[in-house]
Amino acid sequence: MLNRTTIEDIYADTLRRNPGEVEFHQAVREVFDSLGRVLEKNPQYVQASILERICEPERQIIFRVPWVDDAGQVRINRGFRVQFNSALGPYKGGLRFHPTVLLGTVKFLGFEQVFKNALTGMPIGGGKGGSDFDPKGRSDGEIMRFCQSFMTEAYRHIGEYTDVPAGDIGVGAREIGYLFGQYKRITNRYESGVLTGKGVTWGGSLVRTEATGYGAVFFTEHMLATRGRSFDGARVLVSGSGNVAVYAIEKVHALGGIVVGASDSSGAIHDPDGIDLALLRDIKERRRERISVYAEERGGRVKFLPGASVWDIESDDRIDVALPCATQNEISEAQAVKLVASGVVAVAEGANMPTTPGAIRVLREAGVLFGPGKAANAGGVATSALEMQQNASRDSWGFEHTEERLSEIMAGIHERTAATADEYGVPGDYVVGANIAGFTRVADAMLALGVI
């Protein structure tokens, strides 16, 4: 078939042009697998080379980030900003500071961001950035000096009408503050809308901290409703114990669910009686200790599994919902088989691409509701866009109003995704629905703007 041949040829060329970037290859493959029916219905996309253009970032920026540590030693890191697609609006996407950050990592995240942002229905394009700098174990002074050096180059490429970075792994309100301070110092402009994830007292938005975790739970709630289910009484596994995981747990609890597992890079905890969120937050957010401390202090039936994933927990109890909120490719095919055996009804990605292709296949074949990250974890960027709205109007909204807007956006994403899956003959397939809905919105804008 011409469309399949076209897709495979373009994919092969993408691999050739981007060697060694396996995460980027995986992200492109996952989208391309949904597009055969779209190209058949819309031959204009093939004629205008939309697939080739959408896989090629509009701009890729790599730069040196020199800084001085507390001992006076000069350190060198590498900074990235991939401005992937601006057909719908200014580039929008986070900055990740982590030693594993490479160009391929940033490109995969930026590619995903294009479709995720499109699904929100808001006027934002897609991009991503970051550095291989590791903020763990660094003093506030070292982090400040690194952020100032990073922004000394990055400021040339961003702006509220051009590119609006936000936080991601390793970049929270502290780092955003240092980055914004340096941007303001260099440009002599208080351009609030240039960064999102700011502190609430100086231009940030309420609910932004909670948004990705809350949004993933809102999306899952809508998926469950299609089966006549809810979170009330549901037993839930959540991977991670960072920002996304903590607020996902908070919202699950608010909706009547019981979270029985969480994790960090040192291992996982299993608390069959339900996670004590106040204790977990105290350990992770205030004391910044490893999750093993939770098991020590909680006692009872809690178990700590050193070096394990939350998906490795052995239990005879059923698991109704799984929310992977840690990192990419964390659920393997074998772990997906275990989740299916535990009776899981829904899996929603709170992180970016946390489920391997084999695991996704297992879940979908078993009839498990599966919410891909570009739909399920879009709450963070949606609330970033709400922060941009508030900055543009010099306004500040209350918590309840902002959370209501977030809830409405996630409901819209679910409706858009489900309706698109129905339209293309695969009802209930959120992967296909999200890929096609995001792609067509970007593709139509690209057609309207001409060959640029």
Side-chain angles (χ1 to χ4, degrees):
M1 187 173 72
L2 175 62
N3 291 334
R4 174 52 58 185
T5 303
T6 300
I7 290 172
E8 293 305 323
D9 288 347
I10 296 169
Y11 181 67
D13 195 49
T14 300
L15 298 189
R16 180 186 64 79
R17 292 165 63 86
N18 302 275
E21 297 174 350
V22 292
E23 293 165 330
F24 178 53
H25 301 164
Q26 181 182 337
V28 172
R29 176 81 272 172
E30 195 261 346
V31 171
F32 275 20
D33 282 345
S34 301
L35 297 184
R37 5 171 121 74
V38 179
L39 299 187
E40 200 168 275
K41 190 174 181 180
N42 299 277
Q44 67 271 25
Y45 295 155
V46 178
Q47 294 161 7
S49 297
I50 294 294
L51 264 67
E52 293 93 328
R53 290 157 60 191
I54 214 165
C55 289
E56 187 67 25
E58 293 174 11
R59 192 173 294 107
Q60 301 179 63
I61 303 150
I62 306 175
F63 53 96
R64 182 175 65 199
V65 187
W67 58 283
V68 181
D69 68 18
D70 287 343
Q73 175 68 45
V74 175
R75 303 279 184 173
I76 303 295
N77 286 98
R78 182 173 289 175
F80 303 93
R81 190 66 184 172
V82 174
Q83 297 173 331
F84 223 106
N85 192 293
S86 60
L88 293 174
Y91 310 105
K92 186 84 191 76
L95 296 171
R96 175 175 294 189
F97 291 171
H98 193 274
T100 60
V101 171
L102 301 168
L103 179 60
T105 315
V106 178
K107 284 169 69 175
F108 126 66
L109 292 167
F111 184 78
E112 287 280 294
Q113 199 77 47
V114 172
F115 305 105
K116 181 189 303 185
N117 294 1
L119 279 172
T120 68
M122 305 178 89
I124 44 178
K128 205 77 178 184
S131 173
D132 57 0
F133 171 73
D134 189 356
K136 282 186 179 176
R138 293 294 178 187
S139 69
D140 280 354
E142 288 175 322
I143 289 171
M144 180 184 71
R145 291 191 291 276
F146 172 81
C147 288
Q148 288 174 340
S149 182
F150 184 95
M151 185 54 78
T152 299
E153 174 60 32
Y155 92 94
R156 309 169 195 276
H157 312 289
I158 65 176
E160 62 181 322
Y161 299 111
T162 304
D163 184 354
V164 183
D168 196 274
I169 293 172
V171 179
R174 173 181 58 176
E175 289 75 18
I176 292 293
Y178 293 146
L179 291 164
F180 182 74
Q182 185 72 349
Y183 181 88
K184 183 175 78 70
R185 181 185 189 186
I186 292 171
T187 63
N188 193 33
R189 295 195 303 270
Y190 204 105
E191 191 179 327
S192 297
V194 72
L195 287 166
T196 57
K198 301 183 292 296
V200 176
T201 57
W202 48 279
S205 173
L206 291 166
V207 191
R208 178 60 190 90
T209 307
E210 298 87 349
T212 306
Y214 278 18
V217 175
F218 288 147
F219 189 87
T220 310
E221 186 180 26
H222 287 292
M223 288 202 302
L224 289 170
T226 67
R227 300 267 177 95
R229 301 283 296 268
S230 73
F231 272 107
D232 191 26
R235 297 181 67 81
V236 183
L237 282 178
V238 176
S239 67
S241 52
N243 194 58
V244 179
V246 162
Y247 288 107
I249 294 170
E250 181 177 281
K251 186 54 69 175
V252 168
H253 285 179
L255 295 173
I258 305 164
V259 177
V260 297
S263 61
D264 67 11
S265 58
S266 70
I269 54 169
H270 180 215
D271 188 343
D273 298 320
I275 294 288
D276 181 336
L277 183 57
L279 175 60
L280 181 64
R281 293 185 66 172
D282 182 62
I283 290 167
K284 300 304 294 184
E285 296 178 356
R286 187 181 68 82
R287 291 187 264 163
R288 298 185 182 274
E289 294 181 316
R290 310 310 292 165
I291 205 165
S292 57
V293 176
Y294 178 93
E296 295 167 9
E297 297 187 10
R298 174 78 158 156
R301 298 198 293 159
V302 179
K303 291 181 181 178
F304 172 63
L305 290 71
S309 161
V310 75
W311 316 116
D312 296 322
I313 290 172
E314 298 288 348
S315 174
D316 293 331
D317 293 334
R318 76 178 195 281
I319 296 297
D320 300 297
V321 176
L323 301 175
C325 296
T327 191
Q328 61 263 24
N329 290 325
E330 59 171 285
I331 300 182
S332 68
E333 185 172 342
Q335 290 165 331
V337 170
K338 186 183 292 186
L339 281 172
V340 170
S342 75
V344 73
V345 176
V347 177
E349 296 186 320
N352 290 304
M353 208 168 71
T355 317
T356 62
I360 293 172
R361 185 181 64 254
V362 167
L363 295 170
R364 291 166 76 185
E365 288 176 355
V368 174
L369 295 164
F370 180 75
K374 58 175 64 70
N377 72 36
V381 73
T383 308
S384 282
L386 297 180
E387 184 176 331
M388 292 166 66
Q389 286 185 23
Q390 292 169 80
N391 294 156
S393 60
R394 299 292 190 266
D395 199 0
S396 181
W397 303 340
F399 191 97
E400 289 184 2
H401 174 71
T402 310
E403 184 180 0
E404 185 179 347
R405 289 291 308 276
L406 170 62
S407 178
E408 290 169 355
I409 291 167
M410 297 310 297
I413 292 172
H414 179 271
E415 182 179 348
R416 198 170 296 122
T417 302
T420 303
D422 287 344
E423 179 186 348
Y424 282 86
V426 283
D429 193 327
Y430 292 95
V431 173
V432 172
N435 286 337
I436 293 178
F439 173 80
T440 53
R441 185 161 184 251
V442 177
D444 289 342
M446 292 174 70
L447 287 175
L449 298 180
V451 181
I452 58 171

